[in-house]
């Protein structure tokens, strides 16, 4: 099932999600499957549960956008445990469509998370994958990438979104 993506302005995007506590349930498996389907449909490389209106600490990532099924990553209750270096590149978010901004992120990031069965694992990513680990873990903590840009640029985006909301072009 493809879920509609919740857009900026919805409070679920700016609230820390609840930790996932029930593992290996049919519901969790189905939700993960639906999140991959929704992410591919939206042509994203990552999707966090709050972005489909579910306030839980669960995210999916595939930096190949479905080209390589071996690259599917599921992060449950993730924490960033190490980061190094720096990269500056354009970043966007499915919940803030049409906008993109330069965001500085660490270039190498290690995440500790649980898998669908509840087992803890660590994974290190570089470049785009490091960026995805940061971006998705931020989502699960109620943070958006526009929190990492200047207040001036952030206000500009907010103003343009308010205009779109008034015009009924942002829901
Ligand atoms: Ni996002």
């Amino acid at each position: 099932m493809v879920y509609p993506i919740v857009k900026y302005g919805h409070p679920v995007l700016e609230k820390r999600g609840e930790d996932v506590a029930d593992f290996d349930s049919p519901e969790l498996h189905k939700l993960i499957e639906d999140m991959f389907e929704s992410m591919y449909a939206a042509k994203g490389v990552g999707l966090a549960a709050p972005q489909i209106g579910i306030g839980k600490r669960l995210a999916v990532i595939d930096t190949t956008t479905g080209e390589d099924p071996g690259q599917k990553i599921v992060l449950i209750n993730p924490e960033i445990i190490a980061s190094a270096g720096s990269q500056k590149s354009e970043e966007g978010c499915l919940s803030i469509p049409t906008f993109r901004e330069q965001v500085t992120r660490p270039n190498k990031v290690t995440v500790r998370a649980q898998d669908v069965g509840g087992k803890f694992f660590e994974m290190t990513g570089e470049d785009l994958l490091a960026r995805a680990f940061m971006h998705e873990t931020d989502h699960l903590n109620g943070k958006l990438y526009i929190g990492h840009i200047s207040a001036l640029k952030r206000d500009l985006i907010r103003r343009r979104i308010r205009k779109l909301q008034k015009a009924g072009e942002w829901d």
Side-chain angles (χ1 to χ4, degrees), residues 11-32:
V12 73
L13 292 174
E14 292 177 271
K15 230 169 75 179
R16 184 182 161 94
E18 275 179 32
D19 280 345
V20 173
D22 288 331
F23 293 95
D24 227 6
S25 65
E27 292 79 13
L28 184 60
H29 281 277
K30 174 78 168 98
L31 177 58
I32 290 168

Side-chain angles (χ1 to χ4, degrees), residues 46-48 51 92-96 135-136 139 144-145:
L47 183 72
Q51 294 184 274
C93 179
L94 294 175
S95 294
I96 315 175
H135 183 110
E136 300 311 323
H139 267 302
L144 298 168
Y145 83 86

Side-chain angles (χ1 to χ4, degrees), residues 61-79:
I61 292 172
D62 180 356
T63 56
T64 73
T65 56
E67 295 293 309
D68 180 357
Q71 300 302 310
K72 288 165 94 171
I73 297 168
V74 177
L75 299 179
I76 301 178
N77 305 331
E79 307 288 346

